[in-house]
């Protein structure tokens, strides 16, 4: 997966570039933090599907099965990453000091949070409301703490330890700062389960604070990424799928602001409730419009890369979770505006999400069976 020979050396996204491998048994030594992406994408399929405004035969059962798979994947990747840190600390430290790999540490937070949301919204019908709520609070607390640490530590390392060369900006830089936005969308789901008064208001306003933290950080990074594309041309073929990562903060912020508006009536004084409900639509509609613009641009770039032989990498998982956030964003806008157009948009995006998840999952499984994805690069 990744070879890091000099922590301060900048290479073009080694975590995603396909490598030539030599025969041998796979080792967790080369299992990077980007392996949390399949967990995120799988959980997104479950939670987004459960909230769709349509009743399709077997959909709920399928979402429940996908949720269970996401929980199993989370346990497996957590165990593998723990073994990685215990047995290969040199490689783990090198990942943190590699500017192409360090941003993926935000994926740990989002994997915990995504499975937590799916557990609360889908898994509760299987394991019961009590266990689901307990698991949701635990995953929310752990995911939020990890996400806030990553949102500070990774940019700090980029400034003081990483050597960033001109033209190396990447949508991957968004990963650590998007994690708090996922917490901002998860927090409102937990607000009704807290005691009325200070507890509910604190979680609601803390979620708004994380919404602002992530949004402003995204507004700093996104212009740099677009400037890189304009001045240096398209990304390398193997990296092109990461353009879909830009959809993450756009769709997730739309989801968050709408869910926060839903939770506001029971958590904050009446004068603010009306304003927050209006903010959900006033913010969500234009941001979803920009998300569709970026989706069209990114899709065009991916089709261009595919015609030129774009290979499979773990970066293909960028087609899943970010699109899932747009599905939930469209679902939320459909509820707040009453427009059927958003219902159909959610269904169309979810169809793409399921197809992308199936393709990425099948190719990942094939790479594991062939011992390509975890083998030591040469």
């Amino acid at each position: 997966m990744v070879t890091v020979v000099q922590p301060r050396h900048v290479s073009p996204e080694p975590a995603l570039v396909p490598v030539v491998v030599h025969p041998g048994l796979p080792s967790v030594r080369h299992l990077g933090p980007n392996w949390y992406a399949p967990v995120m994408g799988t959980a997104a399929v479950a939670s987004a599907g459960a909230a769709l405004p349509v009743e399709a035969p077997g959909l709920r059962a399928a979402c429940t099965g996908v949720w269970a798979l996401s929980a199993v994947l989370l346990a497996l990747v957590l165990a593998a990453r723990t073994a990685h840190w215990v047995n290969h600390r040199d490689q783990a430290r090198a990942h943190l000091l590699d500017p192409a790999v360090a941003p993926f540490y935000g994926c740990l937070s989002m994997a915990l949070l995504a499975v937590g949301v799916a557990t609360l919204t889908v898994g509760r019908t299987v394991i019961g409301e009590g266990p689901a709520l307990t698991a949701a609070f635990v995953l929310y607390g752990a995911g939020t703490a990890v996400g806030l640490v990553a949102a500070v530590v990774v940019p700090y390392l980029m400034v003081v330890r990483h050597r960033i060369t001109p033209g190396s900006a990447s949508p991957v830089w968004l990963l650590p700062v998007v994690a708090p936005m996922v917490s901002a969308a998860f927090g409102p789901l937990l607000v009704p389960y807290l005691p009325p008064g200070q507890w509910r208001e604190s979680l609601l306003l803390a979620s708004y604070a994380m919404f602002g933290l992530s949004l402003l950080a995204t507004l700093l990074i996104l212009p740099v990424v677009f400037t890189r594309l304009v001045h240096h041309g398209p990304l390398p073929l193997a990296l092109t799928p990461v353009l879909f990562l830009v959809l993450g903060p756009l769709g997730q912020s739309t989801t968050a602001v709408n869910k926060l508006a839903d939770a506001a009536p029971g958590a904050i004084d009446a004068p603010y409730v009306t304003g927050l409900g209006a903010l959900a639509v006033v913010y969500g509609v234009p941001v979803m419009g920009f998300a569709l613009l970026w989706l069209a641009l990114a899709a065009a770039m991916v089709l261009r890369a595919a015609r030129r032989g774009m290979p499979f990498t773990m970066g293909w998982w960028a087609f899943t979770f970010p699109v899932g956030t747009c599905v939930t964003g469209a679902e939320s806008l459909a509820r707040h505006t009453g427009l059927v157009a958003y219902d159909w948009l959610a269904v169309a995006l979810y169809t793409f999400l399921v197809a992308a998840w199936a393709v990425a999952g099948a190719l990942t499984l094939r790479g594991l069976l062939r011992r390509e994805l975890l083998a030591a690069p040469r």
Side-chain angles (χ1 to χ4, degrees):
M1 286 291 298
V2 182
T3 299
V4 180
V5 293
Q6 293 292 337
R8 295 179 64 84
H9 172 70
V10 178
S11 57
E13 307 289 3
L16 298 176
V17 175
V19 295
V20 179
V21 299
H22 61 72
L25 293 176
S27 168
V28 296
R29 176 174 178 79
H30 304 285
L31 186 142
N34 57 339
W35 277 85
Y36 287 110
V39 181
M40 297 160 52
T42 303
V45 171
S47 55
L52 281 178
V54 295
E55 290 292 338
L59 177 60
R60 187 72 187 191
C63 290
T64 302
V66 174
W67 158 75
L69 176 61
S70 72
V72 171
L73 289 176
L74 177 62
L76 291 175
V77 178
L78 282 174
R81 287 289 297 162
T82 300
H84 174 84
W85 270 95
V86 170
N87 300 313
H88 307 287
R89 294 181 184 177
D90 60 325
Q91 186 76 351
R93 287 192 296 267
H95 283 170
L96 277 173
L97 296 178
D98 189 327
V101 183
F104 286 97
Y105 275 88
C107 292
L108 167 58
S109 168
M110 291 185 280
L112 294 169
L113 295 168
V115 174
V117 171
T119 300
L120 186 61
T121 58
V122 180
R124 65 195 304 169
T125 60
V126 178
I127 63 177
E129 183 171 348
L133 189 59
T134 300
F137 270 104
V138 170
L139 291 170
Y140 172 79
T144 299
V146 171
L148 291 174
V149 170
V152 175
V153 171
V154 174
Y156 173 83
L157 292 174
M158 292 176 70
V159 173
V160 304
R161 296 297 300 273
H162 299 164
R163 183 173 300 166
I164 308 297
T165 59
S168 63
S170 167
V172 171
W173 290 6
L174 291 167
L175 289 173
V177 300
V178 174
M181 188 66 81
V182 183
S183 293
F186 191 175
L189 302 180
L190 300 174
V191 166
Y193 298 99
L194 294 176
Q198 290 287 317
W199 284 98
R200 290 187 181 182
E201 185 174 356
S202 296
L203 181 54
L204 183 76
L205 295 184
S207 298
Y208 269 110
M210 288 186 285
F211 168 85
L213 178 162
S214 181
L215 176 62
L216 294 176
T218 298
L219 293 178
L220 289 176
I221 296 172
L222 189 53
V224 179
V225 173
F226 187 70
T227 299
R228 178 256 176 265
L229 293 174
V230 171
H231 289 283
H232 298 274
L235 295 176
L237 297 181
L239 307 184
T240 304
V242 303
L243 289 170
F244 272 68
L245 293 177
V246 175
L247 297 175
L250 302 176
Q252 196 68 68
S253 63
T254 302
T255 302
V257 76
N258 279 271
K259 291 190 179 299
L260 286 165
D262 292 336
I268 201 168
D269 294 337
Y272 298 103
V273 172
T274 302
L276 295 178
L279 175 64
V281 176
V282 172
Y283 173 88
V285 171
V287 170
M288 183 57 65
F290 179 70
L292 294 177
L293 169 65
W294 190 272
L295 175 61
L297 175 63
M301 301 289 266
V302 167
L303 290 175
R304 173 187 177 276
R307 289 195 299 267
R308 288 164 170 77
M310 180 180 71
F312 172 72
T313 69
M314 290 297 290
W316 283 38
W317 284 98
F319 297 137
T320 58
F321 184 79
V323 176
T325 67
C326 293
V327 175
T328 55
E331 292 167 349
S332 299
L333 286 175
R335 291 198 313 273
H336 279 251
T337 64
L339 290 178
V340 178
Y342 282 116
D343 288 333
W344 286 109
L345 176 61
V347 172
L349 290 172
Y350 187 74
T351 302
F352 175 87
L353 168 63
V354 172
W357 173 75
V359 172
L363 293 178
T364 300
L365 182 60
R366 185 187 69 176
L368 287 172
L369 293 176
R370 293 181 177 181
R371 300 179 178 178
E372 295 171 348
L373 294 180
L374 293 180
R378 185 173 61 189

